[in-house]
C-alpha cells in the first residue's frame, strides 16, 4: 500500500521541518518527504493536499472515553470516532471509569477494545490509588507492564501529601509520569465556577484560583523531592503558569498542559447558567486567558490537550449546581487552536502543533508525534483557512456538551491517517 | 405601559422604568388589600403554579393570596411530596406541570439559576421566588416599595444591608434594584460573609458596623443562619451579635428618621434585638403586606395587564 500526499506544507516540529512538498507513505510507514513523486502510484493513492498543512498525527493526552461503566456518555468506539474526526490519531484516556482503571485487567480491557475498534491509538492512563480513593497505592507496576502509559487520579486528586510523595517516589522508580489534576478540595469546597465578580453576581459558589495553585505548588515541591516526572493537567490560572515557569527555571522535572477552553473562553460563558460551560478547573478570567497564551508562547506550557469530558444531555439539562463538570473537546480542538492561537499570531503553526504532537509523545514515551522516515505513518492534514460553525449535532462523540455551539472557527482537519490508512476525511470517519 | 418581558428572574436585568411600573402598580394593588371584600376579577380563569423546592411560609402564601385576590386559581407543589422524591428531574417536573396548562410558574429553588433554566424550557411566564444565593426579585421589589412608602423616594437614600451578604439573594436583588433607582447601597458584615470581589459591585463595603450604619436612611437586616457558624464563617452567634447585631444604641448612628427592614424570619437577639424588631421604625409587617401587593402587581402585569389601576 502506497499513498502520496502531494503538494502540502509539511510541518514537523520534531525535526524542525517546515517545507512545501510531497510525503510518501509505504506499508504504513513514512517513506519519503520532499520531492518524492507519484511514480508508479495509482491515481487513487494520491491525495492532493495543496494549500493544506501536513503535521504528525495529533495526540491528545487527556480524554475521558468512559468505557467501561459509563458507555451512555461515550465508549471507546464513539470516542475513537470523535478523535478521528477531530484529527487525532492517538489519545490517552483517564482512569475514572467504572470499574476504575486501577488494575492491569482494566488496562488490558481498554487496549483490547481499542484494538477491536481499530481507528485511533488509545493509551490507557492507570489510577494512582485503588478506586481513586486516595487511600492505597494501586498496582502501578503491573498496570505499566499491561500497557498503561502514565498514572493519575485525575479529578479525584490526592489530598494527602504523604501518600502523594510515596506514589511519586514509586513512579520515579518506574520512570513513568504522574499526571495531576491540581485542586485543594477544602478550598474549592464544592464550588461551581471561578470565584470572582461573576460568581458573586450569579450567586454560585466560587472556586478560587488558589485551590489550583496551592496544589501546583505542593506537587512541584514533591517533584523536587522525589525527582518524579510530574505532568500538571489542564492549567487554568496565571498563578499556576508562573509557578510552573519558575519550577522549570530551577530545573525541576515538570511538564504541563492546558486545554483549548482555557485560552478560548472566560467565566462569562457561565453567565446564563450554561451547564455546558461548567468544567473543572472552571473557566477563569481574561487575565488568566492572557497568561495561558503567554505560557504557551514561551514554552512554559508544553502540551495542548482537550480534557474531552463527555456527559449525557439529560445530565447537563438540569440545575447548574447538580450538572457534572466537563465539555467535549476532540472535535473543536484544531479549530480553536488555529482560531485563537495561530491566526492572531500568539503561536506559530509549528509551535502550536508541537504541543499536540511531539511534546505529548515525549512526555508519554510514545513512538509517535513525528514524520521521521521509517516511523508509523500517523498523520493529520489540516486546512488552516477553512471556516466552519460548531454544530454539536454533527459531533461523532456520543455526547454533545459544548458551550461552543454556533461559534465560528477557522481551521479544520481534512484527513486523519493512522498507520498509513485514511480513517477520517473532512470530519467524517471512514470506518 | 405593560411589561415586555416574559419572566421575572432578577432585578439585575430589569430596567428602572419597569421597576417604576411595578411599584406604581403595586401601590394601586395595595388599596385592594384594604377593602372589606378583597377580590377582583382581573385574573379570573388564569392558573398559577407555585413550585417551592425550599421551605417557605411567607413567600408562598403571599403569592397564593395575591393570586386568589385577583381570582386566579393556584396549585401548590411541594417537591417533598411529589414525583421529585422518585427522582424526577426538574425538567420533567416542569414539562409535566406545563402540560396541565398553567399560565405562570412561581419557583423557589435552592440552586442559583434554576428559574432561568425553567424559563428557557417553556413559553409560560416564570417568576423567581428565590434561587439559591442569586436573587429574590419580589423581595427586592417589596423592600423598595416599603422604603418608597415611608420615605417618599428612593433616589439619594443610603441603604445599609447588614449580615450574611455572601449567601443572600435578598442582598443581591436589593443591590440591583436600589442602585437602579438612584439609592446608595452599603454591604455591612464580617469579611467572611461578604462576597468575593464585592468592591467591584455598585456598593460600598463595610466590615465595621459603626462605620457602616453612619448616616444611613434604611437598615436592611439579614438573617444569620446557625449553619454558617458551624461552617466556620464566624466564631459564634454571641460574637456575631456583639459585633454586628442591630441594637437601639447602634440605631443612633443612622439618620434620625431611619427605618429598619428584615426579610424574615428573624433571629431575635442575634442579628436584631427584640426592642428593635418591635419598635415603630421596624417595617417587618409592612414588608409582608407589601409583598402581597407586589406579587399581585407582577402577576397582573405578566398576564397582560397594564399599569392602570384596577377599578374599584
Amino acid at each position: 500500500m502506497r499513498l502520496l500526499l502531494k503538494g502540502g506544507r509539511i510541518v514537523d516540529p520534531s525535526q524542525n521541518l517546515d517545507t512545501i512538498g510531497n510525503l510518501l507513505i509505504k506499508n504504513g510507514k513514512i517513506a519519503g518527504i520532499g520531492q518524492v513523486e507519484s511514480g508508479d502510484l495509482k491515481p487513487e493513492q494520491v491525495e492532493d493536499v495543496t494549500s493544506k498543512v501536513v503535521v504528525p498525527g495529533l495526540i491528545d493526552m487527556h480524554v475521558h472515553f468512559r468505557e467501561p461503566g459509563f458507555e451512555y456518555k461515550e465508549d471507546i468506539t464513539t470516542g475513537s470516532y470523535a478523535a478521528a474526526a477531530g484529527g487525532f490519531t492517538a489519545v490517552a484516556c483517564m482512569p475514572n471509569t467504572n470499574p476504575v482503571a486501577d488494575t492491569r485487567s482494566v488496562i488490558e480491557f481498554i487496549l483490547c477494545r481499542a484494538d477491536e475498534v481499530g481507528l485511533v491509538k488509545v493509551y490507557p492512563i492507570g489510577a494512582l490509588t485503588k478506586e481513586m480513593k486516595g487511600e492505597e497505592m494501586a498496582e502501578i507496576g503491573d498496570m505499566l507492564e499491561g500497557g498503561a502509559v502514565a498514572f493519575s487520579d485525575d479529578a479525584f486528586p490526592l489530598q494527602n501529601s504523604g501518600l502523594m510523595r510515596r506514589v511519586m517516589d514509586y513512579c520515579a522508580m518506574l520512570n513513568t509520569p504522574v499526571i495531576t489534576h491540581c485542586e485543594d478540595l477544602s478550598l474549592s469546597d464544592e464550588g461551581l465556577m471561578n470565584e470572582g465578580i461573576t460568581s458573586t453576581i450569579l450567586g454560585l459558589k466560587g472556586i478560587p484560583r488558589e485551590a489550583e495553585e496551592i496544589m501546583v505548588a505542593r506537587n512541584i515541591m514533591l517533584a523536587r523531592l522525589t525527582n518524579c516526572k510530574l505532568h500538571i493537567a489542564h492549567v487554568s490560572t496565571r498563578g499556576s503558569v508562573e509557578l510552573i515557569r519558575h519550577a522549570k527555571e530551577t530545573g525541576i522535572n515538570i511538564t504541563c498542559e492546558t486545554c483549548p477552553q482555557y485560552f478560548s473562553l472566560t467565566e462569562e460563558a457561565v453567565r446564563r447558567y450554561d451547564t455546558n460551560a461548567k468544567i473543572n478547573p472552571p473557566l477563569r478570567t481574561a487575565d488568566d486567558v492572557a497568561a495561558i497564551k503567554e505560557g504557551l508562547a514561551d514554552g512554559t506550557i508544553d502540551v495542548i490537550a482537550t480534557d474531552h469530558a463527555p456527559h449525557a444531555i439529560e445530565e447537563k439539562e438540569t440545575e447548574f449546581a447538580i450538572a457534572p463538570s466537563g465539555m467535549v473537546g476532540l472535535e473543536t480542538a484544531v479549530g480553536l487552536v488555529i482560531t485563537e492561537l495561530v491566526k492572531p499570531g500568539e503561536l506559530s503553526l509549528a509551535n502550536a502543533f508541537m504541543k499536540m504532537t511531539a511534546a505529548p509523545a515525549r512526555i508519554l514515551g510514545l513512538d509517535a508525534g513525528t514524520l521521521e522516515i521509517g516511523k508509523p505513518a500517523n498523520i493529520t492534514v489540516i486546512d488552516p483557512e477553512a471556516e466552519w460553525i460548531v454544530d454539536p449535532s454533527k459531533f461523532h462523540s456520543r455526547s454533545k456538551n459544548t458551550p461552543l455551539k454556533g461559534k465560528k472557527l477557522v481551521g479544520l482537519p481534512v484527513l486523519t491517517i493512522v498507520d498509513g490508512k485514511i480513517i477520517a476525511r473532512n470530519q467524517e470517519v471512514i470506518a | 405601559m405593560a411589561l415586555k418581558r416574559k419572566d421575572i428572574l432578577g432585578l439585575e436585568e430589569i430596567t428602572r422604568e419597569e421597576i417604576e411600573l411595578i411599584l406604581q402598580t403595586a401601590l394601586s394593588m395595595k388599596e385592594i388589600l384594604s377593602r372589606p371584600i378583597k377580590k377582583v376579577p382581573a385574573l379570573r380563569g388564569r392558573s398559577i403554579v407555585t413550585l417551592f423546592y425550599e421551605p417557605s411560609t411567607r413567600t408562598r402564601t403571599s403569592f397564593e393570596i395575591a393570586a386568589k385576590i385577583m381570582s386566579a386559581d393556584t396549585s401548590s407543589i411541594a417537591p417533598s411530596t411529589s414525583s421529585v422524591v422518585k427522582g424526577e428531574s426538574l425538567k420533567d417536573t416542569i414539562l409535566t406541570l406545563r402540560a396541565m396548562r398553567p399560565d405562570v410558574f412561581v419557583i423557589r429553588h435552592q440552586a442559583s439559576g434554576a428559574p432561568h433554566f425553567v424559563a428557557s424550557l417553556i413559553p409560560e411566564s416564570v417568576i423567581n421566588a428565590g434561587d439559591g444565593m442569586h436573587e429574590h426579585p419580589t423581595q427586592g421589589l417589596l423592600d423598595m416599595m416599603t422604603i418608597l412608602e415611608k420615605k417618599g423616594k428612593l433616589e439619594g437614600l443610603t441603604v445599609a444591608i447588614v449580615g450574611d451578604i455572601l449567601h443572600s439573594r435578598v442582598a443581591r436583588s436589593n443591590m440591583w434594584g436600589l442602585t437602579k433607582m438612584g439609592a446608595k447601597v452599603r454591604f455591612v458584615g464580617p469579611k467572611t460573609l461578604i462576597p468575593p470581589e464585592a468592591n467591584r459591585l455598585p456598593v460600598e463595603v463595610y466590615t465595621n458596623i459603626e462605620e457602616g450604619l453612619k448616616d444611613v436612611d434604611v437598615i436592611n437586616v439579614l438573617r444569620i443562619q446557625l449553619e454558617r457558624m458551624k461552617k466556620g464563617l464566624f466564631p459564634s452567634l454571641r460574637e456575631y451579635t456583639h459585633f454586628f447585631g442591630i441594637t437601639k444604641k447602634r440605631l443612633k448612628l443612622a439618620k434620625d428618621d431611619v427605618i429598619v427592614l428584615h426579610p424574615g424570619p428573624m433571629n431575635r437577639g442575634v442579628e436584631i434585638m427584640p426592642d428593635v424588631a418591635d419598635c415603630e421604625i421596624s417595617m417587618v409587617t409592612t414588608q409582608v403586606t407589601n409583598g402581597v401587593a407586589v406579587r399581585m402587581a407582577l402577576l397582573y402585569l405578566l398576564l397582560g395587564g397594564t399599569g392602570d389601576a384596577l377599578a374599584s
Side-chain angles (χ1 to χ4, degrees):
Chain A
M1 174 65 190
R2 291 161 62 141
L3 170 64
L4 187 74
L5 302 178
K6 190 175 177 185
R9 178 182 167 191
I10 301 169
V11 177
D12 180 6
S14 76
Q15 303 182 75
N16 254 336
L17 184 69
D18 189 344
T19 183
I20 307 274
N22 299 341
L23 188 149
L24 180 66
I25 298 160
K26 192 174 173 183
N27 296 327
K29 310 271 189 199
I30 292 167
I33 291 180
Q35 295 307 310
V36 291
E37 297 298 333
S38 53
D40 61 349
L41 291 165
K42 295 173 188 172
E44 66 269 22
Q45 293 171 306
V46 178
E47 290 287 338
D48 184 353
V49 293
T50 307
S51 79
K52 309 293 191 295
V53 178
V54 178
V55 295
L58 305 183
I59 301 166
D60 187 347
M61 66 178 293
H62 190 150
V63 302
H64 298 268
F65 273 6
R66 308 296 191 201
E67 184 179 358
F70 305 104
E71 290 85 352
Y72 68 97
K73 299 173 191 256
E74 190 86 286
D75 60 28
I76 291 170
T77 303
T78 56
S80 296
Y81 271 61
F88 290 91
T89 60
V91 298
C93 52
M94 282 291 171
N96 56 335
T97 48
N98 184 19
V100 171
D102 61 355
T103 59
R104 183 172 184 152
S105 59
V106 181
I107 298 294
E108 288 177 343
F109 166 81
I110 292 166
L111 288 169
C112 182
R113 281 287 300 120
D115 195 46
E116 284 171 7
V117 175
L119 271 179
V120 302
K121 311 283 184 190
V122 177
Y123 299 103
I125 295 168
L128 285 168
T129 63
K130 291 174 184 171
E131 297 181 57
M132 295 193 301
K133 285 184 173 174
E135 293 169 357
E136 291 178 79
M137 202 185 306
E139 292 180 339
I140 292 170
D142 200 27
M143 284 189 277
L144 191 62
E145 276 191 358
V149 294
F151 294 88
S152 176
D153 274 3
D154 193 47
F156 302 87
L158 269 72
Q159 302 297 292
N160 181 320
S161 298
L163 179 59
M164 189 68 184
R165 181 248 173 104
R166 290 192 290 278
V167 296
M168 288 174 81
D169 265 332
Y170 201 78
C171 287
M173 172 188 79
L174 296 169
N175 196 29
T176 187
V178 169
I179 301 174
T180 59
H181 166 119
C182 293
E183 181 179 358
D184 181 327
L185 297 176
S186 70
L187 257 184
S188 53
D189 192 20
E190 299 177 342
L192 301 168
M193 66 173 295
N194 184 50
E195 179 178 298
I197 184 70
T198 307
S199 67
T200 287
I201 290 172
L202 293 178
L204 294 173
K205 187 162 171 30
I207 302 172
R209 294 170 184 78
E210 287 75 8
E212 175 174 317
E213 292 159 5
I214 284 171
M215 278 303 191
V216 168
R218 182 200 73 169
N219 291 341
I220 285 170
M221 290 178 184
L222 291 176
R224 185 179 59 194
L225 177 67
T226 61
N227 202 28
C228 171
K229 286 189 205 169
L230 172 65
H231 178 80
I232 296 185
H234 43 48
V235 170
S236 74
T237 77
R238 175 175 289 280
S240 294
V241 174
E242 287 170 357
L243 285 164
I244 293 163
R245 184 179 289 128
H246 181 255
K248 286 188 166 185
E249 284 166 1
T250 55
I252 292 171
N253 197 350
I254 179 174
T255 56
C256 71
E257 72 192 31
T258 193
C259 309
Q261 46 270 36
Y262 299 116
F263 57 72
S264 307
L265 297 168
T266 68
E267 61 184 6
E268 283 300 307
V270 179
R271 240 345 188 122
R272 302 306 301 169
Y273 296 99
D274 181 0
T275 55
N276 288 317
K278 183 182 177 186
I279 61 176
N280 188 17
L283 295 170
R284 307 284 187 183
T285 65
D287 180 62
D288 294 297
V289 167
I292 296 294
K293 289 178 177 174
E294 290 161 22
L296 285 163
D298 71 10
T300 302
I301 300 175
D302 305 86
V303 167
I304 298 171
T306 68
D307 192 6
H308 176 79
H311 292 293
I313 288 170
E314 67 272 16
E315 293 176 311
K316 284 285 195 179
E317 275 194 333
T318 187
E319 299 92 312
F320 195 89
I322 61 174
S325 295
M327 59 183 275
V328 291
L330 282 166
E331 292 170 82
T332 50
V334 167
L336 287 170
V337 165
I338 292 178
T339 305
E340 302 290 343
L341 299 178
V342 177
K343 284 288 176 190
E346 304 278 353
L347 259 68
S348 69
L349 198 69
N351 194 8
F353 285 102
M354 179 175 67
K355 295 174 194 298
M356 301 173 80
T357 57
R362 171 175 52 84
I363 292 163
L364 296 177
L366 307 178
D367 186 19
T370 179
L371 297 177
E372 271 181 55
I373 290 169
K375 293 290 184 182
N378 300 318
I379 298 166
T380 304
V381 181
I382 291 160
D383 182 345
E385 303 300 332
E387 294 184 354
W388 59 290
I389 306 287
V390 177
D391 178 359
S393 72
K394 293 182 178 169
F395 285 171
H396 293 73
S397 172
R398 181 161 288 148
S399 296
K400 316 295 176 193
N401 50 305
T402 175
L404 298 166
K405 181 180 179 182
K407 185 175 170 71
K408 184 176 167 186
L409 297 179
V410 182
L412 190 72
V414 292
L415 287 178
T416 309
I417 300 168
V418 173
D419 289 334
K421 181 185 171 195
I422 296 172
I423 60 164
R425 182 189 296 275
N426 297 326
Q427 295 180 300
E428 287 303 322
V429 177
I430 304 165
Chain B
M1 182 180 169
L3 274 184
K4 292 186 172 62
R5 62 184 60 246
K6 174 174 90 71
D7 311 298
I8 302 293
L9 299 177
L11 298 190
E12 185 190 1
E13 59 262 28
I14 287 182
T15 64
R16 178 177 175 135
E17 291 69 31
E18 288 174 301
I19 293 172
E20 284 170 350
L21 171 67
I22 295 164
L23 294 182
Q24 283 306 316
T25 309
L27 288 168
S28 301
M29 295 294 180
K30 192 170 181 183
E31 185 275 324
I32 298 171
L33 296 177
S34 63
R35 298 178 193 172
I37 307 295
K38 291 179 262 298
K39 196 82 168 178
V40 293
L43 300 183
R44 189 165 56 201
R46 300 301 195 125
S47 172
I48 291 154
V49 166
T50 61
L51 183 59
F52 277 55
Y53 281 76
E54 279 184 339
S56 165
T57 303
R58 74 187 66 209
T59 305
R60 178 157 64 186
T61 309
S62 181
F63 268 107
E64 288 178 0
I65 289 176
K68 284 171 179 166
I69 287 173
M70 293 192 294
S71 303
D73 296 309
T74 62
S75 304
S76 173
I77 312 294
S80 59
T81 56
S82 75
S83 294
V84 172
V85 296
K86 299 176 187 170
E88 187 173 65
S89 69
L90 178 58
K91 180 184 176 183
D92 283 340
T93 299
I94 292 298
L95 294 181
T96 300
L97 292 171
R98 192 198 162 222
M100 301 177 195
R101 301 289 185 262
D103 299 294
V104 177
F105 286 88
V106 177
I107 296 172
R108 168 168 289 190
H109 201 290
Q110 64 275 14
S112 299
H116 303 68
F117 170 62
V118 172
S120 72
L121 290 174
I122 57 173
E124 290 80 11
S125 289
V126 175
I127 299 178
N128 179 3
D131 64 322
M133 308 189 299
H134 177 228
E135 282 220 44
H136 192 349
T138 57
Q139 180 72 42
L141 289 163
L142 76 89
D143 288 346
M144 280 192 280
M145 180 181 174
T146 307
I147 298 168
L148 186 61
E149 276 188 320
K150 292 294 167 187
K151 301 286 183 184
K153 63 173 185 177
L154 293 168
E155 184 96 39
L157 297 181
T158 302
V159 179
I161 304 174
V162 184
D164 184 358
I165 316 287
L166 177 65
H167 300 94
S168 176
R169 49 200 178 208
V170 176
R172 285 167 176 79
S173 282
N174 267 261
M175 172 188 73
W176 295 120
L178 286 165
T179 54
K180 274 179 194 172
M181 301 305 289
K184 287 182 186 166
V185 173
R186 296 179 182 178
F187 282 172
V188 186
K191 178 77 166 63
T192 48
L193 296 178
I194 299 287
E197 301 190 25
N199 58 335
R200 293 175 61 191
L201 297 170
V203 297
E204 292 177 340
V205 177
Y206 293 85
T207 54
N208 179 297
I209 189 81
E210 276 72 26
E211 291 172 12
L213 296 186
K214 195 164 186 309
D215 295 329
V216 299
D217 299 281
V218 180
I219 302 170
N220 196 351
V221 191
L222 301 177
R223 190 163 69 94
I224 291 296
Q225 291 170 282
L226 189 61
E227 176 202 339
R228 309 296 178 211
M229 187 190 83
K230 287 179 180 163
K231 278 198 152 188
L233 293 174
F234 56 92
S236 67
L237 290 177
R238 180 181 163 278
E239 179 156 323
Y240 179 85
T241 304
H242 177 66
F243 284 105
F244 292 97
I246 302 300
T247 60
K248 281 267 185 175
K249 186 181 172 192
R250 284 185 172 140
L251 287 182
K252 291 191 170 68
L253 297 162
K255 286 190 179 164
D256 293 341
D257 60 345
V258 67
I259 57 172
V260 175
L261 277 60
H262 193 302
M266 289 186 284
N267 294 308
R268 290 168 182 266
V270 179
E271 72 266 6
I272 188 167
M273 297 308 112
D275 57 350
V276 176
D278 297 328
C279 73
E280 70 284 357
I281 62 167
S282 167
M283 297 294 116
V284 175
T285 54
T286 307
Q287 287 173 272
V288 176
T289 306
N290 288 345
V292 177
V294 158
R295 285 150 188 144
M296 287 170 70
L298 283 176
L299 292 170
Y300 177 70
L301 292 169
L302 281 176
L303 289 172
T306 65
D308 304 331
L310 296 173
S312 299

